[in-house]
Amino acid sequence: MAKNSSPEGRAPSTRQLRVGELIRRTLSDALQRGDIHDPDLNRMSITVGEVRVTPDLQIATCFVLPLGGKGGDEAIAALKRNKYELRRLVGKVTKLKMTPDLRFLIDKTYDQMDATAAMFADARVQADLIKPDDTE
């Protein structure tokens, strides 16, 4: 099989993007309203930044971040403990034949954005970005 024909190399389909966004909104709403019967999870403020769904819609990887970025391990543990209740809520909303298995990871997007901003602020990088005036 050619490298470009593997599922890992393809861009997500429209259906994957729609299902991922629907799952993201469903989880965000459930966590915000406190629909899950777990006091540990309900006292945390968790942002669901993105949900990526596999091409066969069997697995949904949810990128989450607790408010302030602290307590990520506790948030992941609480979400994993309540995975089946969250999955049931997702199943009600998505109405898919099979509800995807939910996997939770810490969203590192904000850390990467901060690192990129710091890199662009570095004097050496600024010197590379500034080009001498071109005479035309």
Side-chain angles (χ1 to χ4, degrees), residues 3 10 17 34 37 47 52 55-56 60 67 90 97 104 121 130:
K3 183 173 178 144
R10 294 185 196 153
L17 294 172
H37 306 316
T47 301
R52 293 183 192 160
D56 61 2
L67 186 65
V90 166
K97 185 185 280 188
F104 300 99
I130 298 172

Side-chain angles (χ1 to χ4, degrees), residues 1 5 15 19 28 30 35 37 39 46 61-62 70 81 84 101-102 108 115 124 133-134:
M1 179 156 53
S5 64
R15 181 171 178 160
V19 169
S28 291
D35 290 347
H37 306 316
I46 298 174
T61 305
C62 310
K70 301 208 182 333
R81 248 191 342 264
Y84 297 105
D101 183 37
L102 301 177
K108 300 200 183 286
R124 294 174 293 169
D133 290 1
D134 291 324

Side-chain angles (χ1 to χ4, degrees), residues 4-93:
N4 289 339
S5 64
S6 70
E8 297 85 22
R10 294 185 196 153
S13 69
T14 304
R15 181 171 178 160
Q16 284 174 268
L17 294 172
R18 276 194 338 248
V19 169
E21 180 59 18
L22 185 57
I23 292 171
R24 187 196 70 74
R25 276 186 284 145
T26 302
L27 291 175
S28 291
D29 291 347
L31 293 171
Q32 182 181 17
R33 288 190 309 259
D35 290 347
I36 308 305
H37 306 316
D38 182 343
D40 293 335
L41 189 60
N42 288 333
R43 71 172 157 57
M44 294 182 202
S45 182
I46 298 174
T47 301
V48 183
E50 180 183 4
V51 175
R52 293 183 192 160
V53 183
T54 57
D56 61 2
L57 304 179
Q58 295 291 317
I59 300 171
T61 305
C62 310
F63 294 90
V64 299
L65 188 66
L67 186 65
K70 301 208 182 333
D73 293 336
E74 294 85 16
I76 295 292
L79 289 166
K80 284 181 180 179
R81 248 191 342 264
N82 294 284
K83 175 167 86 168
Y84 297 105
E85 191 172 353
L86 290 165
R87 190 171 180 219
R88 184 183 55 79
L89 289 171
V90 166
K92 280 182 172 179
V93 172

